[in-house]
Amino acid sequence: QVQLVESGGGVVQPGRSLRLSCAASGFTFSNYDMHWVRQAPGKGLEWVALILFDGRSEYYADSVKGRFTISRDNSKNTLYLQMNSLRADDTAVYYCARVLGGGVWAFDIWGQGTMVTVSS
Amino acid sequence: EIVMTQSPATLSVSPGERATLSCRASQSVSSNLAWYQQKPGQAPRLLIYGASTRATGIPARFSGSGSGTEFTLTISSLQSEDFAVYYCQQYNSWPYTFGQGTELEIK
């Protein structure tokens, strides 16, 4: 079945780095734009980053621009989020999400999320 | 950045009754609006896209309406599994933005 599975979360000190992965299965990963969305504890959803299906373009929220890098390996059906210079306000559950497609950019498939805690 | 504002923050409704949730955009997003449902400890689930089109597998009791800056999600007869937090999201322009959510609770 169509599935996204995140991994790589954990507890990290402020200023350090972490890389998240999102493994896709059940669909042709290389055909879809992919996003990262995060949710701080008890808060709402915040869009983080987008990468187009072919990896040629990326977009970022202002809050992470210059610190986070989204990438993908279509040969491995995997999406990544490299997070550098982490801050306490980056603490959140991070979800990867697939775009519905067909000219509709809503997110139809979500992973279960991976928790990132930035704390000394 | 387009600001999405949802109201009310919390809505108390009895099972079997109708629930109406609102979402307002700070500028027009055309019909590029989605609604998501999120239950505790779970990822969001897409309910509605294009302001009014139900996603695959979504029951007919969920309906969306509106365009431009004013949108509504209606749940016609609440079931126990519908009590959750609902988010609207615009995907008309970067950055894509979400509303702060409406918590639908059992009255």
Side-chain angles (χ1 to χ4, degrees), chain A residues 62-73:
Chain A
D62 286 346
S63 57
V64 306
K65 199 174 296 182
R67 300 187 300 122
F68 289 12
T69 302
I70 188 173
S71 62
R72 65 192 297 160
D73 186 337

Side-chain angles (χ1 to χ4, degrees), chain B residues 2-81:
Chain B
I2 297 176
V3 177
M4 307 301 292
T5 303
Q6 292 185 240
S7 60
T10 304
L11 183 61
S12 299
V13 183
S14 300
E17 294 188 340
R18 174 188 297 257
T20 302
L21 290 67
S22 297
C23 175
R24 174 176 294 178
S26 61
Q27 63 191 81
S28 177
V29 299
S30 187
S31 294
N32 296 313
L33 183 109
W35 289 95
Y36 300 88
Q37 176 193 68
Q38 188 179 33
K39 298 179 180 179
Q42 296 185 17
R45 177 174 71 145
L46 178 65
L47 299 175
I48 300 285
Y49 63 90
S52 61
T53 303
R54 279 190 303 277
T56 301
I58 302 303
R61 64 180 181 272
F62 291 90
S63 63
S65 63
S67 66
T69 62
E70 300 284 343
F71 301 89
T72 300
L73 174 70
T74 301
I75 311 170
S76 60
S77 178
L78 280 163
Q79 307 297 304
S80 58
E81 62 267 29

Side-chain angles (χ1 to χ4, degrees), chain A residues 12 14-18 67-68 83-88 90 118:
Chain A
V12 61
R16 305 298 291 266
S17 299
L18 204 61
R67 300 187 300 122
F68 289 12
M83 304 185 294
N84 299 330
S85 302
L86 282 161
R87 312 186 304 219
D90 294 318
V118 183

Side-chain angles (χ1 to χ4, degrees), chain A residues 47, chain B residues 1-3 27-29 32 90-97:
Chain A
W47 172 78
Chain B
E1 174 176 316
I2 297 176
V3 177
Q27 63 191 81
S28 177
V29 299
N32 296 313
Q90 67 83 17
Y91 50 90
N92 188 69
S93 62
W94 296 111
Y96 291 170
T97 44

Side-chain angles (χ1 to χ4, degrees), chain A residues 4-114:
Chain A
L4 298 170
V5 178
E6 300 96 338
S7 60
V11 179
V12 61
Q13 293 179 329
R16 305 298 291 266
S17 299
L18 204 61
R19 188 176 84 155
L20 306 182
S21 299
C22 169
S25 59
F27 65 99
T28 305
F29 179 69
S30 59
N31 286 352
Y32 290 86
D33 300 343
M34 296 294 297
H35 294 255
W36 287 98
V37 177
R38 68 184 181 182
Q39 186 171 35
K43 303 298 184 182
L45 301 169
E46 180 188 16
W47 172 78
V48 173
L50 156 71
I51 188 166
L52 298 188
F53 67 100
D54 57 7
R56 291 188 179 183
S57 294
E58 308 152 25
Y59 302 86
Y60 298 93
D62 286 346
S63 57
V64 306
K65 199 174 296 182
R67 300 187 300 122
F68 289 12
T69 302
I70 188 173
S71 62
R72 65 192 297 160
D73 186 337
N74 285 345
S75 69
K76 295 183 178 180
N77 293 334
T78 303
L79 176 73
Y80 302 100
L81 186 67
Q82 177 67 42
M83 304 185 294
N84 299 330
S85 302
L86 282 161
R87 312 186 304 219
D89 62 358
D90 294 318
T91 294
V93 175
Y94 284 74
Y95 297 101
C96 59
R98 186 188 83 169
V99 167
L100 178 61
V104 179
W105 287 274
F107 306 162
D108 70 328
I109 303 296
W110 296 65
Q112 85 288 353
T114 188

